[in-house]
């Protein structure tokens, strides 16, 4: 049993989303005491942004890649392997300016690899990753669940589903910037909902 915990809060260990990732990981470890827990901190170890250089590198056949392109493809393969090797994924998704952190978007851009994590076929796209539970810690200052302002949830579900990951379990911590009482209540609700899910 392997657990991969991915955090993208820009305030490191002080990020609410990162603390919630740790809380989910602790709960998973209680359930699976022998599980091996691996962390990927997208803020401490930033990934390159998706640009033409990266897009071309990922679509160039290995035999034709330059040294720089091979290094980018190898980084992408390493991230994909981390996902493939994990039985459970935990992803911290803080909301910044109504979207996911750029650091997390870079990770997604690097794991979306034609021929490796998805294929387009005559009947549409096919995800190549075996399904497994993905726990999402969605931390927000305001209240967005189920509203048009929640651009994160549909995007995360769509892109992970596109890769074959359909078992996405989102646990919300909303209203974290709406005062101390609201924050306390929100974190209690998060714990309750997580426990119910697990
Ligand atoms: C730069 C910045 C932008 C933010 N934008 C939003 C936003 O658009 N909507 C919202 O509900 N909360 C917003 N927040 C509040 C965060 O979602 C909240 O602090 C939450 O705890 C997630 O961030 P964290 O994991 O870094 O703590 C923002 C916070 C920061 C620092």
């Amino acid at each position: 049993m392997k657990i991969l915990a991915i955090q993208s809060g820009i305030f490191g260990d002080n990020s609410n989303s990162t603390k919630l990732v740790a809380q989910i990981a602790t709960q998973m470890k209680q359930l699976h005491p022998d599980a091996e827990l691996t962390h990927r901190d997208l803020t401490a170890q930033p990934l390159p942004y998706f640009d033409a250089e990266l897009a071309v590198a990922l679509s160039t056949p290995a035999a034709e890649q330059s040294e720089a392109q091979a290094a980018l493809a190898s980084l992408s393969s390493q991230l994909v392997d981390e996902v493939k090797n994990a039985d459970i994924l935990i992803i911290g998704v803080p909301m910044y300016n109504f979207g996911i952190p750029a650091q997390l978007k870079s990770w997604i851009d690097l794991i979306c690899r034609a021929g490796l994590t998805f294929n387009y076929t005559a009947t549409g796209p096919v995800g190549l990753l075996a399904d497994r539970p993905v726990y999402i810690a969605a931390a927000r200052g305001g209240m967005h669940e189920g509203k048009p302002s929640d651009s994160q949830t549909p995007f995360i579900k769509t892109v992970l589903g596109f890769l074959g990951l359909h078992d996405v379990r989102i646990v919300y911590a909303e209203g974290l910037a709406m005062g101390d009482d609201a924050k306390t209540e929100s974190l209690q609700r998060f714990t309750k909902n997580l426990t119910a899910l697990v």
Side-chain angles (χ1 to χ4, degrees):
M1 169 67 74
K2 288 188 179 159
I3 303 169
L4 173 62
I6 298 166
Q7 58 204 54
S8 62
I10 56 174
F11 302 107
D13 289 344
N14 289 322
S15 276
N16 289 309
S17 57
T18 298
K19 290 180 193 166
L20 298 172
V21 165
Q23 185 178 334
I24 300 176
T26 301
Q27 200 132 348
M28 291 296 138
K29 282 285 280 177
Q30 277 166 6
L31 213 62
H32 311 284
D34 296 332
E36 188 186 308
L37 177 63
T38 306
H39 288 275
R40 174 151 291 268
D41 185 339
L42 300 175
T43 305
Q45 289 178 288
L47 299 167
Y49 287 131
F50 198 60
D51 57 10
E53 190 190 350
L54 183 48
V56 171
L58 298 187
S59 58
T60 301
E64 296 165 28
Q65 283 165 347
S66 67
E67 211 172 299
Q69 287 174 327
L72 288 170
S74 156
L75 172 63
S76 161
S77 300
Q78 184 192 340
L79 297 171
V80 170
D81 284 345
E82 284 176 7
V83 172
K84 282 185 174 171
N85 290 335
D87 301 288
I88 297 172
L89 300 178
I90 306 169
I91 309 177
V93 185
M95 181 180 279
Y96 299 132
N97 302 322
F98 297 97
I100 65 166
Q103 291 85 348
L104 181 58
K105 180 63 167 55
S106 291
W107 178 79
I108 289 171
D109 289 332
L110 278 156
I111 64 163
C112 288
R113 279 273 291 281
L116 188 62
T117 54
F118 72 91
N119 263 332
Y120 273 107
T121 69
T123 51
V126 176
L128 300 180
L129 293 177
D131 206 4
R132 71 207 75 201
V134 183
Y135 288 86
I136 302 285
R140 291 97 185 265
M143 308 295 289
H144 305 285
E145 184 181 353
K147 296 183 191 168
S149 60
D150 186 357
S151 61
Q152 296 183 313
T153 301
F155 169 69
I156 289 278
K157 283 189 172 174
T158 299
V159 73
L160 294 181
F162 174 71
L163 303 179
L165 303 173
H166 302 284
D167 186 0
V168 179
R169 308 170 183 191
I170 300 185
V171 199
Y172 295 92
E174 296 203 299
L176 295 177
M178 293 171 64
D180 289 346
D181 289 350
K183 182 174 178 179
T184 304
E185 251 176 60
S186 171
L187 295 177
Q188 282 169 352
R189 209 165 32 246
F190 178 93
T191 302
K192 201 172 138 211
N193 290 340
L194 174 64
T195 305
L197 249 185
V198 170

